[in-house]
Amino acid sequence: MDSSVSSWHDAGVVDTAKSPYAKLHPVPIRAVRMKDGFWKKRMDANRESGIPELYHLLEEHGVLDNLRRISGKKKVERRGAVWTDSDLAKWMEAVAFVLQSEDDANLKKLLDAAIDELISIQCSDGYINSYFTGELAGQRFRNLSREHELYCAGHIFQASIAHYRATGERKFLDAALRYADYLTKVFGLGKIEQADGHPEIEMALVELYRTTGEKKYLDLAGFFLSIQKYSERKTIEGHAVRACYLASGAADYFAETGDKAIMDALEHVWNDMVSCKMYITGGIGARSAGEAFGAPYELPNEQAYAETCAAIASIYWNWRMLAIKGEARFADVIERTLYNGFLSGVSLDGKHYFYTNPLACYKEYQRVPWFDCTCCPTNVVRMIASLPGYFYSTSEEGVWVHFYDNSVLNWRLENGVKLILEQETNYPWMRDVNIKVTPEMETKFTLFLRIPGWCCLASVSINDEAERGAVPGEYLQIERKWKPGDRIHLKLPTDTALQEADPRARENLGCVAVQRGPIVYCIESVDNPEVPIRDVELIVGEPISVEIEPNMLGGIAVVKARGVYAIPGQERGPLYRAKDSVRLEVKEADLTLIPYYAWANRGPSHMEVWIPVLE
């Protein structure tokens, strides 16, 4: 193994530590301890309920038996879709991320057993796939556009890397490398000149290159990108998950090669997404047909697809762009997506999921524990398990703080000086973030604090002395000689703001969304039982208040506002009529709004994010 490659113990979720075209370098999951706060609740539910429950469901639905039938341990019929191996691999990666945070003997036992089951079906040439081994062994790569073989391979590679970084054990990684070596022999110019219809293999191959130093893996990733003509792209189109996975792979490839055409395409595509194809929740993918992006400003609410996997894919892509450029615009999108479009995809108990995430719902719609296409649940558990690895980065200049929650970073600067950062906060509900800085000795370096784009009046003090220069949507660069015990106080006023959409997003004309800090709110019928959600209007100009409810929905801030609604049962006249010819009697009401991510946790309900306004 190349000595220039980071050790397994120090590698981050996406290991750009030696990437020549990445500005930021990762902090490993194990270097960040999450303390009681917003995200630790989700991580605990994920570890204690989500991951174990999914394992039982993978067993119940035959995903592991699909391996056992090939190895000869069981005589059963194959069950599930062609890509079931990927679901198991994502679950395996989730467990490996947990093990990078803490020891868990029970989960490690399950993971070790799953690894043995998967490796047991590996062919002599290195190939691993439970669908195309056995009766269909002679039909490998027969339909790459639809049958997800390389997609499954990519997830196996990523799970093996996460396991190696958790334990230092090579059995799983070595099996993955044998498979990757096989792919380098059968794909490429003059060989199989196709790419998989569902990107994933591209970023997995780059991460294998980072882990081993073997350039053939990077070259194969570049080949797949060239086959898909990524450098020529100007807009983001098609299946939302696939588009963002491919962009993630392209960003990984750029970080290693500096291919300018690739970065030009990434910038074009990213700007297209955030300027006219992303929901206020960070969700992406407007159309159910093809699970796809729509036309510019095509952002329906009730019909929004906004797949949970697509939100995760957007986070992956933006994380890589952040590492390359060190610009807060990417962290802002990650934060918006994490707290809203991603988190809505999993219940508060950590074991029920949405596949799609509409922004309005006027029918029964509940999270469920299982989908026959299990991509979202397994994606959710690995995303949550990896969260500590997203809070901080380092660079030659110093250390970067991307996100805020109670946590302790115990790591080092790139000059080798050990550093501890301790965050104390009730973010996102309250405005204050306190950070204690403890280098092992007085040391000059720059600390980069992200000032969220939503916060217009941020202020920063160091040891009670004001620090100037906090600009929304940028990192505040604080260069000084830091002494053990230095204290930073960051104030991020979380005023409630009414958001309006670009008028070209026609469905939101005359409507507002309520946002407080990074949290997007919705009105849900559970809290407003007398109000017909579809008919309510928000009274603009009336006071809006906030109440902290520690015992409601896991602890939230509730927004209170005034609205009106048409009294039910009135004659509404014909469907089309002269303007203002019908005037309905209305009633005022006190409205309660909750965070969008928390809706549908208390039984069937109606919900709306974009609320018509009464001026």
Side-chain angles (χ1 to χ4, degrees), residues 566-585:
I567 298 174
Q570 299 180 69
E571 176 57 51
R572 292 175 176 260
L575 179 59
Y576 305 105
R577 64 276 181 130
K579 188 176 184 302
D580 298 329
S581 62
V582 176
R583 294 188 177 275
L584 298 176
E585 186 178 354

Side-chain angles (χ1 to χ4, degrees), residues 127-431:
Y127 182 83
I128 304 174
N129 189 292
S130 67
Y131 194 87
F132 291 101
T133 303
E135 304 95 320
L136 298 178
Q139 300 185 46
R140 294 177 187 175
F141 313 124
R142 67 184 184 182
N143 189 353
L144 284 173
S145 65
R146 296 182 60 85
E147 291 186 329
H148 294 26
E149 271 174 278
L150 299 184
Y151 169 80
C152 290
H155 279 304
I156 290 169
F157 298 166
Q158 288 185 314
S160 74
I161 293 167
H163 174 256
Y164 174 62
R165 291 173 181 173
T167 65
E169 299 168 8
R170 290 194 57 99
K171 177 172 66 173
F172 190 12
L173 178 63
D174 287 341
L177 293 176
R178 289 194 295 274
Y179 189 6
D181 289 345
Y182 166 72
L183 293 181
T184 65
K185 295 173 184 175
V186 299
F187 285 88
L189 292 175
K191 307 171 190 177
I192 300 176
E193 298 186 12
Q194 298 179 55
D196 199 282
H198 198 309
E200 160 64 34
I201 189 70
E202 297 81 4
M203 52 180 155
L205 284 168
V206 177
E207 207 63 33
L208 277 182
Y209 163 70
R210 290 166 174 160
T211 305
T212 65
E214 291 285 350
K215 191 171 180 294
K216 61 186 175 181
Y217 304 139
L218 178 65
D219 291 341
L220 184 56
F223 169 76
F224 287 134
L225 289 167
S226 68
I227 286 289
Q228 296 168 90
K229 299 181 179 180
Y230 199 83
S231 61
E232 299 177 15
R233 301 197 177 198
K234 302 293 183 184
T235 58
I236 195 158
E237 298 174 354
H239 191 285
V241 180
R242 301 181 193 194
C244 288
Y245 275 8
L246 186 59
S248 297
D252 279 328
Y253 186 75
F254 172 85
E256 304 306 323
T257 66
D259 187 319
K260 183 179 182 301
I262 290 286
M263 180 48 64
D264 288 345
L266 285 166
E267 283 283 12
H268 285 305
V269 172
W270 188 87
N271 286 324
D272 184 51
M273 182 178 80
V274 301
S275 66
C276 59
K277 295 178 181 175
M278 185 175 74
Y279 285 97
I280 192 171
T281 59
I284 52 173
R287 296 178 180 174
S288 60
E291 302 179 331
F293 288 99
Y297 306 101
E298 181 189 338
L299 294 166
N301 294 317
E302 190 176 2
Q303 289 77 37
Y305 202 73
E307 184 183 344
T308 300
C309 279
I312 295 169
S314 173
I315 292 168
Y316 289 164
W317 177 21
N318 277 279
W319 178 248
R320 288 159 169 80
M321 296 295 282
L322 176 61
I324 291 166
K325 298 213 166 193
E327 296 175 7
R329 56 185 168 128
F330 304 113
D332 279 348
V333 174
I334 294 173
E335 182 178 68
R336 179 180 294 279
T337 307
L338 274 175
Y339 280 100
N340 302 290
F342 161 69
L343 195 54
S344 61
V346 59
S347 61
L348 297 178
D349 66 10
K351 54 186 181 180
H352 297 83
Y353 308 91
F354 279 153
Y355 196 102
T356 64
N357 295 272
L359 277 74
C361 182
Y362 311 111
K363 60 184 179 182
E364 291 189 7
Y365 187 64
Q366 288 290 287
R367 296 177 185 85
V368 297
W370 178 263
F371 302 96
D372 288 336
C373 179
T374 324
C375 56
C376 292
T378 50
N379 235 349
V380 165
V381 295
R382 70 171 179 153
M383 181 73 248
I384 293 176
S386 68
L387 278 173
Y390 288 82
F391 270 72
Y392 305 93
S393 296
T394 63
S395 67
E396 291 181 359
E397 301 97 327
V399 64
W400 300 61
V401 182
H402 304 304
F403 306 111
Y404 302 107
D405 199 357
N406 291 325
S407 60
V408 179
L409 169 68
N410 191 341
W411 191 228
R412 58 179 178 263
L413 300 171
E414 294 192 2
N415 62 10
V417 173
K418 293 179 181 179
L419 175 69
I420 295 174
L421 291 183
E422 299 174 75
Q423 281 196 49
E424 290 188 2
T425 181
N426 196 20
Y427 192 90
W429 311 123
M430 305 296 283
R431 68 180 184 175

Side-chain angles (χ1 to χ4, degrees), residues 428-491:
W429 311 123
M430 305 296 283
R431 68 180 184 175
D432 295 302
V433 180
N434 293 295
I435 302 175
K436 183 179 178 182
V437 184
T438 309
E440 64 177 332
M441 63 185 72
E442 186 173 321
T443 306
K444 186 176 182 180
F445 64 91
T446 301
L447 193 149
F448 297 80
L449 286 179
R450 184 178 67 91
I451 308 301
W454 54 260
C455 185
C456 296
L457 297 172
S459 62
V460 178
S461 63
I462 302 173
N463 299 330
D464 299 321
E465 293 186 7
E467 181 77 17
R468 298 181 181 275
V471 177
E474 294 185 7
Y475 283 89
L476 174 63
Q477 303 180 28
I478 310 171
E479 182 181 6
R480 59 180 283 145
K481 273 194 172 182
W482 295 93
K483 303 184 298 295
D486 279 344
R487 293 172 292 107
I488 301 170
H489 184 200
L490 174 61
K491 287 186 178 180

